[in-house]
Amino acid sequence: MDLLHPFSNNLKLVGLLLLLILHGSLSDKNVKNSLIIVDTVEVDDNTDAVVEDEDEQDLQDQEVFNPTHEWQVVKPGQAVPAGLHMRLNLQTGKNEAKLLDEKYDTGITRKVSKSSTDSGIYTKEELKEALAKFKEEQKPKNLETVEDLKQRFRPIDILKKEFSEMNINIETDFDIMTRIINRFNHSMSTLAEKLDALYELEYYVHQVDNAQDLHKLGGLQLLINSLNSTEPSLIEHSAFVVGSALASNPNVQIQAFEGGALQKLLVILATEQSVSVKKKALYALSSLLRQFPYAQHQFLKLGGLQVLKNLFREKNGEPLFVRIITLLYDLIMETLLLYEESNIDHIEEKMQQYSQISLMGTMTEQGWCPVIINLINLPENDAREKVLKLVSVLTTVCKDEFRANHNLNSILHSFQKEYEEFVSEEQKSGETDGYFSELLSLVHEVIDKLKP
């Protein structure tokens, strides 16, 4: 037993060493798996310790965010180009960005450069490229042929039928005017309903095609017939619609003349009616006569000038005076300007028609010269302007009567002095070609024409 005691002790020692070695190897393995490697910065003893953040290192290396079609983290301080998708990732708490998808593409691709900042301001080169691309996209395509348009767009009748099947009612101007005329002509319509219909109709007939449709629908003749009404308001509004339909519309002028409009309008102006009614009748008469020499010729034959002259005796008729003067001046200028033009269609035919009209000769025969002189002292400058224009063109036939009227001469010189003061005020304010300058020139023109 004594011999084995040292050996057993040795075995125990060997076993203990083996356990220690095995325990050490396992411990080393666990330690290696639990290590975290960190960068270290050596700090001088005389300075404070500074640990640079990873984002701050990246900012020095990269100033501009380079986007892709995948979401990327936008690091603090990076310049983000305009036109990107931006979001805040709620899981990480960081901002992310990516390029726009194709369906959101605006057609302008912006280059990211050092000059591009998060302010969204484009460089000059970027703007030039964007403008060039925009102009290229705006170039007109090949014009479609008539057949292509016919295939793409369906006739209005077919569209109306399809809308009708869908319980959708679509009305053209023609349909609306038809409904209005039927309401106006209905035997059960009250005066208020008729006046309301005329008010609506006047809105539509300013358009040339609508005015011609008015005749096709029989509405023009209805309105002309209503000029014989015993109801003043109906006469007034009917004349208003007729005048609007005739304005600068030769076809409708002819149709109205053939429908007896001229005679009916002269009757209104020659009989006892209110000034408001006569104003609308005079408006319709002016629309009928302008640029229509045959109607002007018939107007003179029917004594139209005498009818207009009698209106100057009208009590409170001042609103009519300027309208009459304006009409006469315009009719005279039509003839004078015709002889100065050489490129008018059918010039010879028109000159022959106007040669049958002796408007200024008829005015002198009927004593219009003193009537015009009495109007020159109207208080409003606009009215004076129109009278002075008519006096200027009538000096060829009324010169002797104008010169013999000493009152006219004194009035013209008073106008001259008055307008010279106004022109001086205009010039002081920097206005060289003002309204009063034109009036002063017109006064000088009349004075010069009346000189011996």
Side-chain angles (χ1 to χ4, degrees), residues 7-21:
F7 181 72
S8 62
N9 290 335
N10 291 336
L11 286 176
K12 290 179 179 179
L13 181 60
V14 171
L16 181 59
L17 289 173
L18 290 174
L19 289 174
L20 289 172
I21 293 171

Side-chain angles (χ1 to χ4, degrees), residues 100-226:
L100 289 171
D101 296 335
E102 290 184 1
K103 63 179 180 179
Y104 296 110
D105 190 8
T106 60
I108 300 177
T109 304
R110 185 175 179 201
K111 294 182 180 179
V112 179
S113 63
K114 293 292 182 180
S115 64
S116 300
T117 65
D118 56 355
S119 64
I121 299 176
Y122 290 90
T123 65
K124 185 183 294 186
E125 290 73 17
E126 293 166 349
L127 290 174
K128 287 182 178 179
E129 292 181 10
L131 181 61
K133 185 171 183 179
F134 175 78
K135 289 182 177 179
E136 184 67 26
E137 293 176 350
Q138 296 302 312
K139 288 183 178 179
K141 311 299 181 186
N142 294 331
L143 295 177
E144 295 177 303
T145 63
V146 176
E147 293 300 324
D148 293 335
L149 291 174
K150 286 183 178 179
Q151 292 177 3
R152 289 183 57 191
F153 300 100
R154 289 169 290 176
I156 186 64
D157 293 338
I158 296 177
L159 289 174
K160 289 171 67 175
K161 181 180 179 181
E162 293 179 355
F163 279 121
S164 178
E165 293 173 354
M166 293 185 291
N167 293 325
I168 299 177
N169 185 30
I170 179 173
E171 282 187 316
T172 62
D173 285 358
F174 188 89
D175 297 329
I176 296 172
M177 289 172 58
T178 301
R179 176 168 48 79
I180 295 173
I181 292 171
N182 290 337
R183 175 155 45 98
F184 173 80
N185 195 38
H186 198 282
S187 59
M188 300 300 293
S189 295
T190 64
L191 176 61
E193 291 173 336
K194 288 180 180 290
L195 295 178
D196 184 64
L198 290 173
Y199 179 81
E200 293 182 34
L201 197 58
E202 196 273 337
Y203 169 80
Y204 287 96
V205 297
H206 283 278
Q207 210 276 336
V208 173
D209 293 337
N210 287 343
Q212 295 177 3
D213 288 339
L214 179 68
H215 169 68
K216 295 176 183 178
L217 291 168
L220 181 62
Q221 192 61 52
L222 280 174
L223 297 177
I224 294 173
N225 293 340
S226 68

Side-chain angles (χ1 to χ4, degrees), residues 329-397:
Y329 174 77
D330 290 345
L331 296 182
I332 292 172
M333 292 304 297
E334 278 183 28
T335 304
L336 297 179
L337 293 175
L338 179 67
Y339 289 96
E340 296 179 3
E341 297 288 343
S342 59
N343 56 350
I344 300 179
D345 294 336
H346 310 291
I347 182 68
E348 294 182 358
E349 180 182 350
K350 289 186 177 181
M351 290 178 67
Q352 182 180 3
Q353 292 175 348
Y354 278 100
S355 67
Q356 300 176 14
I357 305 169
S358 180
L359 181 56
M360 288 195 293
T362 307
M363 289 180 67
T364 56
E365 292 174 2
Q366 296 183 2
W368 275 86
C369 297
V371 173
I372 303 302
I373 295 175
N374 293 333
L375 293 175
I376 200 168
N377 211 17
L378 290 173
E380 296 181 1
N381 288 310
D382 182 60
R384 289 182 186 179
E385 178 187 7
K386 290 178 170 56
V387 175
L388 285 168
K389 285 182 176 180
L390 185 57
V391 168
S392 180
V393 298
L394 286 178
T395 51
T396 57
V397 293

